[in-house]
Amino acid sequence: MGARGAGGSSVCNVGSGGCRAGAGSILCEGRSLVGRKPYRINHVGVARTFQNIRLFGELSALDNVRIALHSRLRYSIIEAFSHLTPRFAHEELRVTREAMELLALFGLEAEADVPARSLPYGRQRRLEIARALATGPRLLLLDEPAAGMNPQETMELVAILRELRTRFALTILLIEHDMRLVMNLCERIYVLEYGEVIAHGTPEQVRSDPKVIEAYMGEEVTDHA
């Protein structure tokens, strides 16, 4: 967490291959991500959402998720063009079924055929997370997933993320400015200011850290002990 411009989105960009760090290393389960293209990083098991929603607006909610699932299809290019083999038909049915299951998990099954751009903002956010999850990640990078949501939508998102973490055995790296969301959800927090980590620890430790209080409240905390 951190104020705008602190470097949170840069963490997601570097971790997902959107930009390259000038120094240092990035490891995912012991494998280096440095220099890999975004689709290669996704194959390693890393997926992300964006600060500004990047859905395929003209496609339905269902097709937005189906596209992500196609990265795990098990038929050949020839079968894809012919559309005639039993394996092609079986795989397409499987993809549609799994996409609908993900939409249901996010409460979007009734809007499966609705164009993504026609969904309310908060539901577009949910759809983007569902699409990222469809690629089968072990590490999910969420860049300000609650941005633009009202308080009720934010708390519903917290409940969904808790369920995702447990059901899919996910590690979630969350970039967020909403301190209440972070404190309610995260087990470990790193606080950034101008690209530097100024504090890290459990929510309780971070909440009482003098540097965090100063950065967020604008007040210098003096130790009078």
Side-chain angles (χ1 to χ4, degrees), residues 61-215:
L62 177 62
D63 282 340
N64 266 271
V65 179
R66 278 172 48 86
I67 284 175
L69 283 163
H70 272 76
S71 65
R72 295 189 279 144
L73 285 174
R74 295 187 286 268
Y75 55 67
S76 67
I77 294 177
I78 295 175
E79 288 173 313
F81 278 107
S82 69
H83 291 194
L84 297 176
T85 66
R87 183 163 65 168
F88 173 85
H90 178 270
E91 283 294 281
E92 286 297 312
L93 285 173
R94 178 183 65 82
V95 163
T96 299
R97 184 182 67 253
E98 291 185 13
M100 286 300 298
E101 289 172 355
L102 282 170
L103 290 177
L105 181 61
F106 286 87
L108 296 169
E109 68 273 26
E111 296 151 303
D113 296 324
V114 176
R117 66 169 55 170
S118 299
L119 294 173
Y121 186 85
R123 301 184 80 73
Q124 288 187 32
R125 284 280 178 194
R126 291 188 182 200
L127 178 58
E128 191 177 37
I129 299 173
R131 186 181 62 179
L133 197 62
T135 65
R138 294 183 297 280
L139 171 61
L140 183 60
L141 309 177
L142 302 179
D143 192 359
E144 295 190 42
M149 289 186 174
N150 61 44
Q152 179 180 344
E153 290 173 329
T154 297
M155 296 317 296
E156 289 173 354
L157 177 65
V158 168
I160 289 172
L161 293 180
R162 283 191 179 127
E163 183 175 356
L164 295 183
R165 184 175 57 189
T166 302
R167 180 181 296 197
F168 296 98
L170 275 176
T171 296
I172 299 176
L173 176 60
L174 178 79
I175 308 297
E176 188 54 66
H177 305 305
D178 187 330
M179 182 176 283
R180 187 174 66 166
L181 183 153
V182 173
M183 293 296 175
N184 281 326
L185 179 65
C186 298
E187 297 169 340
R188 192 160 189 85
I189 301 170
Y190 288 79
V191 183
L192 294 175
E193 186 177 35
Y194 302 112
E196 299 287 339
V197 176
I198 61 170
H200 65 89
T202 64
E204 293 74 18
Q205 290 170 329
V206 167
R207 185 184 289 113
S208 59
D209 190 287
K211 291 182 179 179
V212 176
I213 296 172
E214 182 179 345

Side-chain angles (χ1 to χ4, degrees), residues 19-80:
C19 63
R20 182 174 295 188
S25 60
I26 309 169
L27 301 176
C28 180
E29 296 184 335
R31 286 191 265 183
S32 175
L33 304 183
V34 175
R36 292 180 185 245
K37 294 186 179 298
Y39 76 94
R40 296 281 188 192
I41 291 177
N42 182 250
H43 289 169
V44 170
V46 180
R48 70 164 298 180
T49 64
F50 294 87
Q51 184 175 342
N52 299 312
I53 296 173
R54 298 187 187 181
L55 293 170
F56 302 110
E58 296 180 0
L59 298 183
S60 68
L62 177 62
D63 282 340
N64 266 271
V65 179
R66 278 172 48 86
I67 284 175
L69 283 163
H70 272 76
S71 65
R72 295 189 279 144
L73 285 174
R74 295 187 286 268
Y75 55 67
S76 67
I77 294 177
I78 295 175
E79 288 173 313

